Amino acid sequence: MNEARHPLRLPGTAVLAALAMLFLYVPIIVLVVLSFNASDMTTIWTGFSLHWYAQALGNDTMLVAIGNSLTVAAAATVLATAAATSAALGIARSGGRVRTAVEGLLGLPLLIPEIVTAVALLMLFVLVGVRLGLMSVILAHTVFCIPFAYYPIRSRLAALDPALGEAASDLYAPAWRRFLRIELPLLAPGIFAGALLAFISSLGDFVITYFVAGPGATTLPVYIYGMIRTGITPEVNALSTLLLLASVAVVAIVFRSGTTPANQTRGEKTS
Amino acid sequence: MNDTIVAISDVSKRYAGAVQPALAGVSLDIRRNEFFTLLGPSGCGKTTLLRLIAGFGMPDSGQISLDGKLLGQTPPNLRPINTVFQSYALFPHMSVAENIGFGLEMLGQPRETVRSRVTEMLRLVRLEGMGERRPAQLSGGQQQRVALARALAPAPKVLLLDEPLSALDLKLRREMQIELKRLQTETGITFVFVTHDQEEALAMSDRLAVMRDGVVMQVGSPENLYDRPANLFVAEFIGEANFWNATCLERSGAGGRFAIGTSKAVMPVAEAQGLAEGAKAVLVVRPERITLGAAEPGLLHGTVETAVYRGSDLVVHAALAGGGELRARLPGSIAAAGLIGTATGFAFPADAVRVFPA
Amino acid sequence: MSTVRTSPGLLAAPAALFLIVFMLVPVGLMLYVSTLERGAFGGVNWGQHTAIAYEKLLFERDLAGQIAFNSDYIAIILRSFRLAAVTTAVTLALGIPTALYMASLPPRRAALMLFLVTVPFWTNLLVRNFAWILILRNGGPLDSALATTGLVTPPLDILYTPLATGIGLTYSFLPFMILPIYVALERIDRRLIEAAFDLGADRWRVLSRVVLPLAAPGIAAGAILVFVPCLGAYVSPELLGGGKSLMIGNLIQAQFGASRNWPFGAALALVLLLVLLVALALLASVKRRERLAS
């Protein structure tokens, strides 16, 4: 197709698109560049250095925060991915009304503003008597990780012939062997993408964690928030760059697996 | 040899949200070692019935038994019945050999047994040496053979085939029809075959059931259904036929004499049970039973409009004198040129006619 | 389509139950708490119902119990709506052309650009807002860059203003606008556009009469995906807005922190939920119109 003649190519769109991309990436570039700045003045460039990375990674409190973040993300990812895989298989095999209800429920955490989820969960935990700590954070993260894990698995499942599972049953496979030999291997790319997206969402969450994490359950974003509030040091730049790198890696892997997160979530993610 | 292997008694099934039931009181006996076909237009319930036999879903009422034992709630993995799926449903992440061996593996057969059985099956479906390929590397026809081999490998009591040939082109389809028939004879397994293609059904089946709207319209051998359709639907669905409105003039013995349409033609009919004198009826006559006759009063008259030479036969369309059309399949030795435009008489024997109340 | 005796829906039960317990129940609880009396030391007095949390949105009571109009909270709520509306408008203005441009690219380049838009979408919100602190602060890159043009004299004092909050919100939510519009444009049957050209429409007519109406559900979805979370934003106003441009999110947080007024916090959160419901109803009507039209 002749690009210049593409019907959607209107004068001005290229310029505005370039502006939008610039707007999206300049802050990221500034952040990354400054994280390698030798100066302790966060915004004046004096030379290349990995000093702040060393300092950040040598900070014990921060290492504890990273440890908490990884623990929470791992636990929430496992719980959410298992629940989402099971739900995807169940929904695919059940009829209209159950399907609509459960799918609506699964999409809810992406729809409800994060601050609302945060305070609602806080009240639940406090009133029921769940101690605020890593456990409450893991439970809260599982809530919003479920839809992130669910959508890629669902779209993978939708692309598979439903007769495959039936064929396995027909050939004498009991339910668990059908799952292990047929459904799990065939869904693996979707499950993998879903788990990665759940993991990165958990790792990056700030607002909900901020509300439901008690003392001793500080995650990396909560820790970074504290640092920003107390005074900006280049250490924050280094940490932020590391978090950024993690997201880019995850999105790149998911993209390469051919299941684009944008199409799966249909932009339903809220911040 | 005519004992029943699958007995279906009064089975009904309605899907959630559907107005019409998919099956409304179906009863059928499928015999051991026969090639049985469920034939009907889409939505007639034939695939639903097949799925119920396989165990994918349960009947709302009625029962299905296999070899005299009620299947009840038995899940598909515990039924010695295998299916060839319309989409083949080959496991894409497994080799051809792994696909074919899957059923035996699930049945806990030793590795050696599985391997030799897979080799045997590959030979049976003429895919020797293809065992290590992936399904995606095979042509449609080859995938079809793998699906067959996979379903036959565990030597099921019954093999179910859900429109397995519908994805193939005509030539391959014809080949596979012969192939399927050969496999059925060689293995001696009961085949239950679902199709909407009546030619395919006639060519392959020992017996067939014609279905419509969840009801069995007629069961019998291909010859039986073709020559003696039990109702207008079967007469229309299987083969070609002429349908003429007629009036019963006179009954005598089993048969009688009928006036066709508004013409003066009065035709003898060998069997006309259930029709009183003066009753309105539809006469059904297969085109190949019609011959050219004398242009005498009281016989069927018409003007030949088209005559198409088909090698073995000559297909003639004629406008009947009293209104209506006639289609005849005459021997190919008759010259078309001499017929077109001429008024001529047509005849058929009294036993070639089937009569149904209008 | 079941192949097992147990109902297949049971497989969905763990996820469904989990979300009922940790999503529906908490929201219901919040609704209930908003009707309760606040406890003397935080928390609530169970069984003591009052509408005071809602009254507080507009009125205050002095020590003598006199009710007087209080515009403090309504001002914050109105500011939140204003910021959310402006952000939605700006992201629309940038998002529609960007999505159009993306949809006009050959597949491989469109995929690359989709990737580039998606990366910020998945990048930590805190990090992204933090980057703007670096840029906007006095003596930061923006100051220096504008100073060299000589048009303005630094410091610009942008950071810790509603403008900074707006920039942060726009930045946070731009991908949420671009992605659904792009998906909608991508789904338009190319032949419809060609048919419009064939019938003699020029590019702008094709855009306004064919393309944008067909992409309307995507545009509406994008607007809602920006507006609703914007209204409840916490991070951008907190980090970039300073104390002078609080939004509903900050106000809610305060009720669970320093102010210890759960019923009022719950009532404020319900305002956000209500807006979400209205937005969803609007989206449903746009989609219904679309379906009727096609």
Side-chain angles (χ1 to χ4, degrees), chain A residues 160-161 163-175 177-178 181-183 185-186, chain B residues 51 56 76-77 79 81-83 85 87 89-94 103 105-107 150 154:
Chain A
L160 289 178
D161 181 357
L164 287 168
E166 291 180 349
S169 299
D170 190 64
L171 293 161
Y172 313 109
R177 294 188 83 173
R178 180 185 67 193
R181 288 292 304 277
I182 307 300
E183 284 158 346
L186 290 176
Chain B
R51 292 179 62 84
F56 304 129
N77 57 309
R79 297 183 180 200
I81 295 172
N82 290 143
T83 307
F85 291 85
S87 61
L90 298 178
F91 306 131
H93 59 307
M94 294 184 188
E105 191 196 325
M106 291 299 124
L107 288 171
R150 185 177 71 175

Side-chain angles (χ1 to χ4, degrees), chain B residues 92-116:
Chain B
H93 59 307
M94 294 184 188
S95 69
V96 165
E98 285 171 319
N99 263 283
I100 297 175
F102 188 84
L104 294 164
E105 191 196 325
M106 291 299 124
L107 288 171
Q109 297 288 328
R111 221 168 259 262
E112 263 319 303
T113 317
V114 175
R115 195 172 309 156
S116 67

